[in-house]
Amino acid sequence: MQLRRCGTDAVLVEVGSLDEVEAVRAAVADLPDVVELVPAARTVLVVTGPGGLPAVRDVLARADLAHHPAAVGDEVVLPVRYDGPDLDLVAETAGLTTAEVVDLHTGAAYQVAFCGFAPGFAYLTGLPEPLRQARLDSPRTRVPAGSVGVAGEYTAAYPRATPGGWRLIGRTDAPLFDPRRADPALLTPGDRVRFEAVR
């Protein structure tokens, strides 16, 4: 673990894996002076109130990064119509039927590891191994809002129309991001997510 000072009241914690990111996030989340946590694939930005960094450093010096804490966030169920344009490609690549792809995707338990790329775009871990596939060779210039895709070790749903190269297996009508809500993003780091097939 490496700590890189970011101004007077923040530190960027660099680690080697997503499990370690979650361990860092869990270790410092309840400190009274922590005002913001921004996890990513291999880092966590910890922002504190004035004078709060010594407590963060102390907790991290004692943290067991090998211990992966259980998810403690909210559970969110996302209804999905599994009719994506890449569903057949994902099935063929995995050596499965499309029905087996849907069963695998809906049968897994996911956790929001971090958010990024676009407001409300949550990277979910827990994707079954056969569904872990490469991004498309040529990204789409426009992925419709609500599209559910897989790429590498992640699955996600696009909160708005953007370019993207993930393999799209379905779509959801869930309100993934609404700036008028008190909490604009439906999914936040630590949340548990399940996908539910609908017609």
Side-chain angles (χ1 to χ4, degrees), residues 110-134:
Y110 302 96
Q111 182 174 354
V112 179
F114 57 94
C115 297
F117 171 63
F121 190 98
Y123 290 77
L124 309 179
T125 58
L127 187 67
E129 190 67 40
L131 303 183
R132 297 181 182 189
Q133 301 184 11

Side-chain angles (χ1 to χ4, degrees), residues 120-155:
F121 190 98
Y123 290 77
L124 309 179
T125 58
L127 187 67
E129 190 67 40
L131 303 183
R132 297 181 182 189
Q133 301 184 11
R135 286 171 167 79
L136 297 173
D137 291 336
S138 179
R140 293 178 171 90
T141 57
R142 185 179 185 279
V143 173
S147 295
V148 175
V150 296
E153 62 188 299
Y154 304 109
T155 187

